[in-house]
Amino acid sequence: FLYLTEEFGELATALAANNRPKTPPTEAERANLMEEFADVLAWLATLANINGVDLEEALIKYTENQIEGVKE
């Protein structure tokens, strides 16, 4: 959990760097943002696995309620 928390803080810093007013992010900042999202996702998946939580099942349950009634 501490690793997730650390990565979440790094993601917050990367988000701030990529959303400065009047200054577009550099390519390096965009790449770092993608890396930080990946790190957070990896640690979240690891924690879910350690705790026996099926993320696919959890996401299906979440999205079922979100798209109910939406037709193609």
Side-chain angles (χ1 to χ4, degrees):
F1 181 75
L2 292 176
Y3 289 122
L4 175 63
T5 303
E6 178 183 344
E7 293 302 337
F8 191 74
E10 291 175 11
L11 175 59
T13 300
L15 282 166
N18 277 264
N19 290 286
R20 293 182 304 263
K22 301 181 183 179
T23 308
T26 65
E27 285 186 35
E29 288 170 330
R30 292 295 300 165
N32 183 58
L33 181 63
M34 186 183 314
E35 181 179 327
E36 296 307 335
F37 268 107
D39 290 347
V40 168
L41 185 58
W43 279 111
L44 181 65
T46 299
L47 280 172
N49 186 45
I50 289 169
N51 288 282
V53 173
D54 183 337
L55 281 181
E56 182 179 9
E57 181 182 339
L59 287 171
I60 288 169
K61 286 181 180 178
Y62 175 77
T63 55
E64 267 180 356
N65 295 331
Q66 301 298 317
I67 60 173
E68 203 169 272
V70 175
K71 301 191 187 222
E72 293 184 31

